[in-house]
Amino acid sequence: MSLDVTQVLLSAQSADGAIRKHAEESLKQFQEQNLPGFLLSLSSELANEEKPEESRRLAGLILKNALDAKEQHRKNELFQRWLALDAGAKAQIKGLLLQTLTSPVASARSTASQVIAKVAGIEIPQKQWPELIGSLLANIHQVQPNVKQATLETLGYLCEEVSPDAVDQDQVNKILTAVVQGMNASEANSDVRLAATRALYNALGFAQVNFSNDMERDYIMRVVCEATQSPSCEGDEESVALQAIEFWSSICDEEIDILDEYSSEFTADSDVPCYYFIKQALPALVPMLLETLLKQEEDQDLDEGAWNLAMAGGTCLGLVARTVGDDIVPLVMPFVEENITKSEWRQREAATYAFGSILEGPSADKLAPLVNVALGFMLSALMKDPSNHVKDTTAWTLGRIFEFLHGSALETPPIITSENCQQILTVLLHSMKDVPNVAEKACGALYFLAQGYVDAGSASPLSPFFQDIVQNLLMVTHREDAGESRLRTAAYETLNEVVRCSTEETAPIVMQLVPVIMVELHQTLEAEKLSTDEREKRSELQGLLCGCLQVIIQKLGGMESTKYSFLQYADQMMDLFLRVFACRNATVHEEAMLAIGALAYAAGPNFAKYMSQFYQYLEMGLQNFEEYQVCAITVGVVGDLCRALEDKILPFCDGIMTQLLKDLSSNQLHRSVKPPIFSCFGDIALAIGENFEKYLIYAMPMLQSAADLSAHTTATDDEMLDYTNQLRNGILEAYSGILQGFKTSPKTQLLMPYAPHIIQFLDALYNGKDMDDTVMKTAIGVLGDLADTLGVHAGPLINQSTSSQAFLEECLASDDPLVKESAEWARIAISRAVSG
């Protein structure tokens, strides 16, 4: 068919919907009628220097989408479709793509890079296109920087698309050599160096063999270290240095993950090799990172999204400290000691930042003596340093000291003592009156200071200062400039933490806080005729106040000494929360919903009196597919209500169950909400017992189909496996609640038809071997519930099960005390059922 491809591609980007639609249909028709011709004309368009940039870019994009897709089955279809094309057509397309790498137009080169990598991802594993890597490497010796840059970009994408096993070692060596040469400081063009650094980042998976050779590894390390030291930090040079730091940060992330996963079990034959790249690079890497800390920007503390060389260097230094632990301390401390007292603010700030960055990772034994010396100095700097930059970083560093080196879990002598506690608080409360960015960091430091005393029992050293702390935090929330630097939010978060970690001794002061926060929430509800901006600020404040009330409710409602006097406020609180719902803002709804869940838990069966008014908002939350976090939180609150009200929730169950079943059937609802909905079935069944009978015919088939799906899901990555296990756990919690809910009822026989399927699900989970400990604990618990509720009727089913016995034995031998405890109980229930 004759088609002016250029014109159609331009029309497909037209602002006029009708023109756009017509063009898209023409392209679709062309693709369906003559695929080889379609792909060939797109690659010709991309390669043709006389065509407009817009049509070339779209041609490349459509080509890329014709070769790859997110969904695995679609991806396989597209792979097969490409492999089935005529060899001559494929050769022409590939030739045009390689030709485009020499284009003077950057967007055409970049698109061609991506498409070449996609084709390579299909062909190289099939032993096709063997000459590709050779012809790319030949480009590296071209004089023009744009060709080198595009080729390195292509090699980077290729390393992402092609599995290392598909490329032989000789070619891997050549790719690495080319990439490392491109990064070399002798390469004058910074675009080339940037592309090479990105490519090396992607080529790490290929470099395993090379990294086990000391000489090669040291050479690669040296080159990357030089990249971090781009001579000037102007413009493009800075982006090369940032990319090199990003490269080191990503190696740290890799190694931290590996070390976390295998913790102390590292042996020479571990599956995942940890090469300790960072440890070996320390002597070259740390001095360079420290150098970057001196490249601060004047106003970086005021810009929330700021990101520059100094910040990237400090972040990377923090990751290095987490990767190598104690070894970093002697390399950083001389820099700190040398610069901390210098007259130039940049040096004092860099020294403080370096010290703060290495507080997570090294052992408390190694850090405690240094912190003990530094603490007085830091407190003095926070009060007296003339530079806001230095004060900001000092307050942040104090926060890190309190976060990582303070608390009952540490075995080193405490850093905060009765002698210095008052001084620390005086300085922090004083700094909360400083400029917003410093005050926000001071709030953060106080947050971690309070958190360290969460297990202090009745003798928290903060108790004598509690009133002062609370008053100062409330003053911060009322500052005119509290909207800057997240200051108001930080003050409320800190107030919440101070309340959460408080003791019974200070409960009367927390009680005095209740009317104060309620009055503030009431005032936000009275405001009228607000602009959009004011409305947004009001919603944010309402969310913070509801969050604060939630913490207070949990604290006072959880202590026998205060619970009853506190509940005198329940009516007023509930009234305020219901008015907040009428404001229709998602964030506020989340916070108000959580506060109501806490109030229901504290009030117990007495909460029933609020249900008729509250129910409409509960239903609204369950229907909120768009803002799925609101829906998820509401599902959690249904669980709280079931525990608080028990069978008093019965009048509302028809509506709740209808909505939950609708949620499960919906394709619009985010998948993360589905596991808690299943758990919620269990909560409802536990609360209403045999009254759950009428829901069995709806709930059980849904549980069964979800169970089948989750038992036979092969997780392709960690995220998928986590989700699958959450889903399994939700389903098992539902079964457990339903079985326990019917336990004392004469209607247990209603559950018999479902029992074989539950046993099959447990067998499938056991045989799948990919349960996490939480699922294991719930699953063995369900086996026990089944035996306990159905008694002798369950015996034959358990005996016929292919794996119940093996599963039970494995759980009894588990290292996890919770799994073991659940299994002990199940063993007793099963032996009763089987012997009965």
Side-chain angles (χ1 to χ4, degrees), residues 503-535:
T503 61
E504 206 151 334
E505 187 187 344
T506 49
I509 303 170
V510 178
M511 190 72 85
Q512 289 164 20
L513 202 50
V514 180
V516 175
I517 303 289
M518 281 183 9
V519 165
E520 301 215 355
L521 184 54
H522 182 265
Q523 282 166 354
T524 67
L525 293 162
E526 295 299 297
E528 286 174 10
K529 298 194 175 62
L530 299 177
S531 68
T532 313
D533 188 36
E534 287 168 335
R535 238 199 324 275

Side-chain angles (χ1 to χ4, degrees), residues 515-579:
V516 175
I517 303 289
M518 281 183 9
V519 165
E520 301 215 355
L521 184 54
H522 182 265
Q523 282 166 354
T524 67
L525 293 162
E526 295 299 297
E528 286 174 10
K529 298 194 175 62
L530 299 177
S531 68
T532 313
D533 188 36
E534 287 168 335
R535 238 199 324 275
E536 203 166 294
K537 285 185 176 145
R538 179 187 70 168
S539 294
E540 191 185 334
L541 179 56
Q542 286 175 343
L544 293 168
L545 292 165
C546 288
C548 185
L549 283 171
Q550 183 205 345
V551 175
I552 294 173
I553 293 166
Q554 285 170 327
K555 190 76 201 176
L556 298 176
M559 293 191 286
E560 285 305 315
S561 57
T562 50
K563 184 172 179 174
Y564 297 100
S565 47
F566 158 72
L567 283 171
Q568 67 186 0
Y569 292 111
D571 288 4
Q572 288 163 277
M573 265 191 209
M574 200 58 202
D575 185 46
L576 285 171
F577 294 145
L578 293 173
R579 286 182 63 190

Side-chain angles (χ1 to χ4, degrees), residues 693-748:
E693 175 189 347
K694 62 172 163 179
Y695 307 125
L696 287 174
I697 54 167
Y698 306 106
M700 287 314 232
M702 278 210 168
L703 282 165
Q704 287 180 352
S705 59
D708 288 342
L709 194 68
S710 79
H712 301 109
T713 301
T714 12
T716 42
D717 54 37
D718 288 350
E719 195 186 338
M720 184 63 188
L721 183 59
D722 283 349
Y723 175 71
T724 304
N725 274 321
Q726 284 167 13
L727 189 59
R728 291 165 175 172
N729 198 54
I731 294 163
L732 290 163
E733 285 183 338
Y735 282 144
S736 175
I738 292 167
L739 285 162
Q740 289 178 38
F742 276 85
K743 188 186 169 195
T744 53
S745 153
K747 297 184 174 175
T748 47

Side-chain angles (χ1 to χ4, degrees), residues 24-39:
E24 286 166 357
E25 280 166 5
S26 305
L27 287 168
K28 193 171 173 218
Q29 200 177 353
F30 184 9
Q31 180 172 0
E32 285 165 0
Q33 289 173 354
N34 177 3
L35 183 66
F38 177 69
L39 298 176

Side-chain angles (χ1 to χ4, degrees), residues 207-219:
Q208 308 291 22
V209 173
N210 308 72
F211 269 111
S212 30
N213 171 323
D214 290 357
M215 266 176 61
E216 289 191 43
R217 183 187 56 237
D218 293 345
Y219 173 61

Side-chain angles (χ1 to χ4, degrees), residues 86-307:
D86 167 66
K90 280 193 292 196
Q92 266 182 288
I93 293 168
K94 293 187 293 196
L96 288 162
L97 289 170
L98 286 169
Q99 178 192 320
T100 312
L101 291 182
T102 62
S103 168
V105 178
S107 65
R109 292 197 304 272
S110 180
T111 310
S113 295
Q114 295 173 49
V115 180
I116 291 169
K118 294 290 181 196
V119 176
I122 301 174
E123 295 205 349
I124 289 179
Q126 306 288 332
K127 301 281 180 272
Q128 297 177 14
W129 212 2
E131 69 281 8
L132 169 66
I133 292 174
S135 53
L136 288 172
L137 293 171
N139 275 355
I140 295 283
H141 305 299
Q142 294 271 356
V143 186
Q144 307 118 292
N146 62 349
V147 180
K148 268 195 207 177
Q149 182 265 339
T151 305
L152 286 163
E153 193 177 340
T154 309
L155 286 167
Y157 287 133
L158 186 137
C159 294
E160 262 188 311
E161 295 291 338
V162 180
S163 150
D165 334 336
V167 182
D168 66 23
Q169 189 55 43
D170 176 49
Q171 288 197 309
V172 171
N173 295 346
K174 287 179 178 160
I175 292 176
L176 279 172
T177 307
V179 167
V180 170
Q181 277 170 357
M183 284 178 70
N184 214 313
S186 60
E187 170 57 61
N189 184 293
S190 63
D191 285 344
V192 172
R193 289 176 65 194
L194 185 55
T197 306
R198 283 188 180 138
L200 181 58
Y201 180 40
N202 290 340
L204 274 182
F206 279 62
Q208 308 291 22
V209 173
N210 308 72
F211 269 111
S212 30
N213 171 323
D214 290 357
M215 266 176 61
E216 289 191 43
R217 183 187 56 237
D218 293 345
Y219 173 61
I220 293 172
M221 293 284 190
R222 198 177 74 243
V223 173
V224 182
C225 284
E226 285 172 356
T228 327
Q229 285 178 306
S230 280
S232 71
C233 258
E234 287 163 26
D236 296 342
E237 289 295 349
E238 176 162 3
S239 59
V240 175
L242 279 171
Q243 190 68 39
I245 292 174
E246 179 60 32
F247 167 81
W248 285 112
S249 295
S250 63
I251 297 184
C252 289
D253 285 334
E254 266 310 289
E255 294 199 347
I256 290 168
D257 281 352
I258 293 169
L259 297 168
D260 276 354
E261 199 165 323
Y262 292 83
S263 53
S264 55
E265 300 158 26
F266 247 99
T267 55
D269 53 359
S270 283
D271 286 356
V272 178
C274 180
Y275 289 114
Y276 299 102
F277 297 146
I278 299 295
K279 210 179 185 111
Q280 294 164 48
L282 277 180
L285 179 59
V286 172
M288 284 170 347
L289 291 173
L290 292 171
E291 209 47 44
T292 64
L293 301 186
L294 293 158
K295 300 192 164 81
Q296 309 97 323
E297 286 172 9
E298 287 289 343
D299 54 357
Q300 64 183 41
D301 297 331
L302 304 176
D303 176 4
E304 261 186 62
W307 189 246

